Amino acid sequence: MREKIVAGNWKMNTTIREGKELTENILRGISSVPAGVTLIVAPPFTHLSTISGIIGNTKNPGLSAQNCAAGEKGAFTGEVSAAMLASVPCQYVILGHSERREYYGETNEILLEKIQRALANGIRPIFCVGEVLEERESNMHFQVVSSQIREVLFKLDPDDFKKVIVAYEPVWAIGTGKTATSEQAQEMHAFIRSFLAESFEDLANSTPILYGGSCKPSNAAELFARPDVDGGLIGGASLKADDFLAIAGSFA
Ligand code: PGA
């Protein structure tokens, strides 16, 4: 049985007060989350310590950052290191989100360094892959996603790879209200799993592969019912506790 995961990517939203309220509302409803589903929240850096305190020792929901530095420590003004995240403590970090790739020039090479840094500090990466609309329309999507995987995940040792969570996020579906159909999601997730198996064999069977891109309470059940869709990375809908919890409750 593969892990089932629903992670909320808050992006650059909420003040600390709003983030506290959102977390408290999630905690209030957390008993509705089916057993065996791992819930994760990914607030902005400034909120992590406060929200870690609200969550407490249960580590439920799990706590994720939205990025970390490639460097270890030192003169990198404005950066936040993986060791700092581990000291919060944060258990996860989102890496390779399309917004980081597009607006901040994060390449596969940089992402490999970040992933290795996170893993060296005991933090599990949620590694995002996905194609832009043009690439899908020109039938390049499998090629794009396979090179994102080849240039990053294939460079990891199997023992490190075991800790990785993959998120397939078609860029044309992020924040657009336009979701991939569950057929499109399943097709890509199955492709990713078989591609991962080329390098990691049986381990690929246990890799959680999440879908992201306008996932909401009305479409989560259909997406999560697909055999290779192991949960979701949720943006907009994770900012409302009720919607986020409803999505987590969408596993059959
Ligand atoms: P969305 O974002 O759910 O708002 O489309 C998903 C993501 O970017 O992780």
Side-chain angles (χ1 to χ4, degrees):
M1 256 273 281
R2 268 193 301 273
E3 272 182 283
K4 295 186 189 330
I5 299 171
V6 171
N9 175 9
W10 297 5
K11 308 193 179 182
M12 198 170 72
N13 293 299
T14 74
T15 59
I16 295 186
R17 191 179 55 74
E18 290 163 347
K20 273 170 77 171
E21 224 173 271
L22 177 52
T23 309
E24 284 159 0
N25 288 334
I26 292 169
L27 286 172
R28 231 167 263 137
I30 207 155
S31 59
S32 70
V33 176
V37 175
T38 301
L39 202 65
I40 298 171
V41 291
F45 286 135
T46 43
H47 305 20
L48 290 172
S49 187
T50 304
I51 288 176
S52 172
I54 297 175
I55 295 170
N57 292 331
T58 60
K59 300 210 172 16
N60 185 26
L63 191 60
S64 176
Q66 300 172 18
N67 182 25
C68 76
E72 187 183 358
K73 63 174 179 177
F76 300 101
T77 303
E79 290 290 277
V80 175
S81 74
M84 291 171 191
L85 295 180
S87 75
V88 170
C90 257
Q91 300 90 48
Y92 307 89
V93 62
I94 298 170
L95 291 172
H97 192 280
S98 63
E99 288 150 18
R100 300 293 320 171
R101 292 178 190 264
E102 184 184 350
Y103 308 142
Y104 303 97
E106 294 195 3
T107 59
N108 289 331
E109 205 178 3
I110 294 171
L111 291 169
L112 174 61
E113 284 178 50
K114 291 189 173 198
I115 286 201
Q116 285 172 325
R117 200 64 76 184
L119 288 163
N121 283 278
I123 297 177
R124 293 182 68 186
I126 303 173
F127 179 61
C128 306
V129 297
E131 80 285 354
V132 301
L133 187 60
E134 250 171 36
E135 292 161 342
R136 165 129 330 230
E137 284 174 344
S138 54
N139 220 19
M140 296 281 288
H141 43 300
F142 294 116
Q143 208 171 312
V144 169
V145 168
S146 48
S147 55
Q148 289 167 334
I149 290 173
R150 190 184 313 104
E151 290 170 29
V152 183
L153 299 184
F154 280 10
K155 314 259 176 187
L156 299 178
D157 291 339
D159 272 348
D160 276 341
F161 171 73
K162 267 194 237 169
K163 298 170 193 136
V164 173
I165 298 161
V166 175
Y168 169 57
E169 299 205 307
V171 181
W172 45 270
I174 296 178
T176 57
K178 200 171 154 190
T179 321
T181 64
S182 66
E183 287 79 12
Q184 286 171 322
Q186 170 57 27
E187 182 187 36
M188 181 58 90
H189 284 225
F191 169 80
I192 291 172
R193 199 176 303 289
S194 65
F195 189 65
L196 288 172
E198 287 182 18
S199 211
F200 297 109
E201 301 175 351
D202 292 349
L203 288 182
N205 260 327
S206 341
T207 307
I209 307 179
L210 315 184
Y211 168 79
S214 301
C215 183
K216 44 192 182 243
S218 59
N219 58 29
E222 195 187 333
L223 287 158
F224 297 175
R226 295 288 173 161
D228 287 290
V229 179
D230 305 311
L233 180 55
I234 321 299
S238 73
L239 296 170
K240 289 197 188 121
D242 288 350
D243 285 356
F244 187 51
L245 291 165
I247 292 171
S250 300
F251 290 96

